[in-house]
């Protein structure tokens, strides 16, 4: 059965994780969410209903989940594919396999909720052994990752959706031309100024994908995680709820996919509804994009201006592109690329739609001559080889994740970097100077050019980067 827009909005208003809210619940009940939103909100479609959805998402993001909410997964693992344990977990909380947090905001909190996290908030990605019961900090079993900031993530997902559509259109047109001409056609995969290599389409419908660079062969951009392996905020949220909290969304762990309403056997059925996931997605997607700090002393402003020019001059903007153009500001949930295990677009009659144009922080963003919003991400949504034998500091993982090589990572968006120390995939680099020097692989030339600058010029680059902060846009 498909969910209507009304139902999708109503779910977070009517449901609480783990159990239905009762009118007789005392105010001291040890659930994290006590009161449903006003039910009249459901009848008010448009901005008011969406605002209620976003507010619900913020509440859930900050909630410290308890066992009464369904926290814990004694008989299932942290794997993103529902996988049962062989025996009950010895401890509820474990650093590598989880549970490892009480609330989403426990790690995403610096400098504000939804932000990044300190080294102490690191998590572990156990891709090589995701279906096993383990508890080891050894890098052959798990990859340690620092917390990414979520500010501006809705814009990143919209960019990825448009770029994916462009790349698929290039492939489709190349196939049509090859069939019509009876000869192979080679096409460059370029979208929004980012080059993802090339494909060669044959008249028989076969496509040579060996020339694709920085993206999976299906040409779907996956803008989330440091390896660029999650296609949407929704997929990211469903994964994180299970791994970090043992809160299991029923769209993946419920009866449809697992045959059980209580897959983890913790005594709580249907722990997290599709509507609650939509609420968390809506809040994360509408977090304001990072901006620039402008209340600076004259000396800093002067250094930052020089540093921005040098940042481009040494070649950093080859990957850390200052801005990418965005055509549409309408964010829909579910998205067009969500697939099995995550609520898909085809499963709802009408997706929840949020027009970002109504937010002041979006109105403050620059536009190009065609009227497109310029998203100031300082990134390219592309994977790059960022380490080599000469400089392996950023290739510090032994496991691949979702078939992405250990020394290949997504270009880190630098917007907000002035607010999100420490740096690197493990958060083990304490200064911006260190992380720039750590670049190997495709970043070698830029790193060497930076190192060759005079000390005052290197300091100017740092001065510029430290003006890229969370907050400030339209605020």
């Amino acid at each position: 059965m498909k969910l209507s827009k009304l139902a999708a909005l109503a779910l977070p208003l009517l449901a609480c994780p783990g159990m239905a809210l009762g009118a007789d619940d005392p105010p001291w009940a040890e659930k994290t969410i006590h009161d449903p939103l006003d039910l009249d909100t459901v009848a008010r479609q448009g901005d008011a209903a969406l605002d209620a959805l976003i507010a619900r998402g913020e509440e859930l993001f900050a909630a410290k989940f308890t066992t009464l909410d369904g926290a814990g997964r004694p008989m299932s693992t942290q794997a993103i594919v529902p996988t049962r344990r062989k025996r009950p977990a010895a401890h509820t909380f474990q650093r590598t396999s989880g549970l490892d947090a009480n609330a989403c905001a426990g790690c995403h909190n610096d400098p504000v909720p939804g932000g990044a996290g300190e080294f102490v908030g690191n998590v572990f990605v156990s891709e090589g052994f995701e279906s096993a019961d383990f508890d080891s900090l050894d890098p052959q079993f798990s990859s340690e990752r620092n917390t990414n900031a979520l500010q501006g993530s809705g814009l990143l997902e919209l960019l990825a959706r448009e770029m994916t559509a462009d790349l698929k259109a290039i492939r489709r047109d190349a196939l049509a031309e090859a069939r019509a001409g009876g000869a192979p056609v080679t096409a460059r995969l370029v979208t929004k100024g980012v080059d993802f290599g090339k494909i060669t389409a044959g008249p028989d419908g076969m496509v040579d994908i060996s020339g694709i660079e920085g993206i999976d062969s299906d040409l779907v951009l996956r803008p989330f995680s440091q390896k660029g392996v999650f296609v949407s905020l929704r997929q990211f949220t469903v994964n994180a709820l299970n791994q970090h909290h043992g809160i299991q969304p029923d769209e993946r762990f419920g009866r449809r996919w697992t045959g059980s309403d209580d897959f983890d056997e913790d005594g709580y059925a249907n722990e997290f509804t599709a509507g609650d996931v939509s609420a968390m997605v809506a809040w994360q997607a509408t977090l304001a994009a990072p901006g620039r700090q402008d209340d600076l002393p004259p000396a800093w402003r002067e250094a930052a201006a020089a540093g921005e020019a040098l940042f481009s001059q040494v070649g950093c903007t080859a990957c850390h592109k200052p801005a990418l153009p965005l055509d549409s500001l309408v964010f829909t949930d579910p998205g067009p690329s969500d697939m099995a295990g995550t609520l898909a677009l085809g499963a709802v009659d009408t997706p929840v739609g949020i027009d970002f144009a109504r937010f002041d922080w979006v109105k403050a963003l620059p536009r190009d001559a065609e009227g497109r919003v310029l998203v100031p991400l300082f990134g390219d949504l592309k994977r790059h080889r960022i380490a080599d034998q000469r400089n392996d500091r950023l290739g510090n993982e032994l496991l691949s994740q979702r078939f992405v090589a250990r020394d290949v990572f997504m270009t880190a968006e630098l917007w907000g970097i002035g607010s999100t120390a420490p740096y690197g995939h493990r958060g083990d680099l304490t200064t911006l100077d260190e992380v720039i020097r750590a670049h190997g692989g495709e970043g070698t030339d830029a790193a060497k050019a930076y190192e060759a600058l005079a000390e005052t010029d290197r300091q100017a680059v740092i001065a510029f980067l430290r003006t890229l902060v969370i907050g400030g846009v339209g605020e």
Side-chain angles (χ1 to χ4, degrees):
M1 177 183 296
K2 291 186 175 182
L3 297 172
S4 67
K5 181 176 181 180
L6 177 62
L9 289 174
L11 280 168
L13 307 180
L14 296 172
C16 173
M19 61 180 66
L21 287 164
D24 297 328
D25 285 336
W28 57 85
E30 293 186 288
K31 302 175 189 176
T32 59
I33 309 297
H34 293 286
D35 301 311
L37 296 177
D38 188 287
L39 296 183
D40 290 338
T41 305
V42 179
R44 297 195 298 270
Q45 295 301 302
D47 290 348
L50 293 175
D51 287 343
L53 188 71
I54 293 167
R56 174 70 169 186
E58 182 176 16
E59 185 180 18
L60 290 169
F61 194 89
K64 293 182 179 179
F65 297 112
T66 74
T67 53
L68 298 180
D69 301 311
R73 41 177 167 76
M75 288 304 296
S76 69
T77 74
Q78 78 288 349
I80 62 175
V81 176
T83 306
R84 293 193 185 280
R85 299 182 66 94
K86 297 176 181 177
R87 61 193 68 84
H91 305 283
T92 301
F93 286 86
Q94 302 185 63
R95 283 299 293 134
T96 49
S97 57
L99 313 180
D100 54 15
N102 300 107
C104 301
C107 295
H108 294 276
N109 56 35
D110 188 14
V112 295
E118 230 251 85
F119 186 87
V120 70
N122 281 9
V123 300
F124 293 83
V125 178
S126 52
E127 188 68 19
F129 293 83
E130 67 172 7
S131 298
D133 300 339
F134 76 96
D135 183 19
S136 172
L137 298 179
D138 190 318
Q140 68 179 312
F141 293 103
S142 58
S143 295
E144 187 175 357
R145 300 278 178 80
N146 195 230
T147 308
N148 283 337
L150 297 169
Q151 276 71 22
S153 56
L155 294 177
L156 295 183
E157 185 165 342
L158 286 177
L159 281 172
R161 292 178 187 183
E162 290 186 357
M163 294 168 78
T164 295
D166 288 348
L167 295 175
K168 289 185 174 182
I170 292 170
R171 181 179 59 190
R172 183 178 63 248
D173 292 345
L175 282 166
E177 184 179 348
R179 284 194 297 268
V185 171
T186 297
R188 297 298 306 183
L189 296 168
V190 180
T191 170
K192 299 187 187 294
V194 182
D195 190 334
F196 291 92
K198 63 182 180 180
I199 56 170
T200 298
D204 59 355
M206 299 296 290
V207 178
D208 179 357
I209 60 175
S210 61
I212 294 177
E213 301 172 358
I215 190 175
D216 291 338
S217 59
D218 62 0
L219 302 183
V220 175
L221 265 73
R222 293 170 168 83
F224 301 115
S225 87
Q226 294 176 350
K227 297 292 254 188
V229 296
F230 300 140
V231 72
S232 66
L233 283 168
R234 190 170 195 98
Q235 184 185 34
F236 165 77
T237 299
V238 170
N239 293 350
L241 282 167
N242 175 63
Q243 176 173 346
H244 303 308
H245 311 300
I247 296 288
Q248 298 190 307
D250 57 17
E251 64 193 72
R252 179 175 302 170
F253 296 90
R255 184 169 296 277
R256 179 185 179 190
W257 294 107
T258 68
S260 172
D261 291 330
D262 183 19
F263 182 76
D264 59 355
E265 299 182 23
D266 65 355
Y268 291 86
N270 301 318
E271 293 176 2
F272 214 76
T273 68
D276 282 328
V277 175
S278 289
M280 292 189 70
V281 168
W283 183 73
Q284 293 171 86
T286 55
L287 288 172
R292 296 203 187 198
Q293 186 175 353
D294 54 13
D295 55 341
L296 299 170
W300 191 341
R301 286 201 301 271
E302 182 178 345
E308 185 167 6
L310 288 165
F311 184 78
S312 176
Q313 180 181 314
V314 300
C316 296
T317 54
C319 298
H320 296 286
K321 297 185 182 300
L324 296 181
L326 180 63
D327 292 290
S328 173
L329 289 170
V330 178
F331 183 94
T332 56
D333 177 55
S337 298
D338 284 312
M339 295 182 288
T342 308
L343 187 68
L345 187 60
V348 299
D349 291 326
T350 305
V352 173
I354 305 173
D355 188 350
F356 288 179
R358 72 184 181 92
F359 297 117
D360 288 342
W361 61 269
V362 173
K363 295 175 183 177
L365 294 173
R367 292 180 179 261
D368 65 12
E370 300 175 36
R372 298 177 298 180
V373 167
L374 294 175
V375 181
L377 73 168
F378 284 93
D380 61 2
L381 302 185
K382 180 180 177 180
R383 300 184 193 127
H384 296 272
R385 192 171 302 279
I386 201 64
D388 53 33
Q389 290 184 336
R390 183 195 68 84
N391 191 347
D392 197 34
R393 188 67 188 273
L394 292 178
N396 50 19
E397 296 185 351
L398 298 182
L399 295 176
S400 63
Q401 183 183 11
R402 314 250 35 98
F403 311 107
V404 180
R406 59 177 291 275
D407 53 1
V408 172
F409 287 86
M410 192 78 148
T411 299
E413 292 84 34
L414 299 185
W415 59 358
I417 196 169
S419 303
T420 57
Y423 310 108
H425 312 305
R426 293 181 66 241
D428 56 354
L429 300 171
T430 61
T431 69
L432 289 165
D433 180 76
E434 286 178 284
V435 75
I436 295 172
R437 293 175 186 269
H439 282 62
E442 295 176 49
T444 297
D445 290 345
K448 286 183 175 180
Y450 167 81
E451 291 172 348
L453 294 174
E455 173 63 19
T456 54
D457 287 339
R458 289 196 297 270
Q459 286 299 315
V461 172
I462 303 305
F464 157 62
L465 292 174
R466 291 199 61 194
T467 67
L468 305 178
V469 296
I470 291 176
V473 176
E475 297 178 1

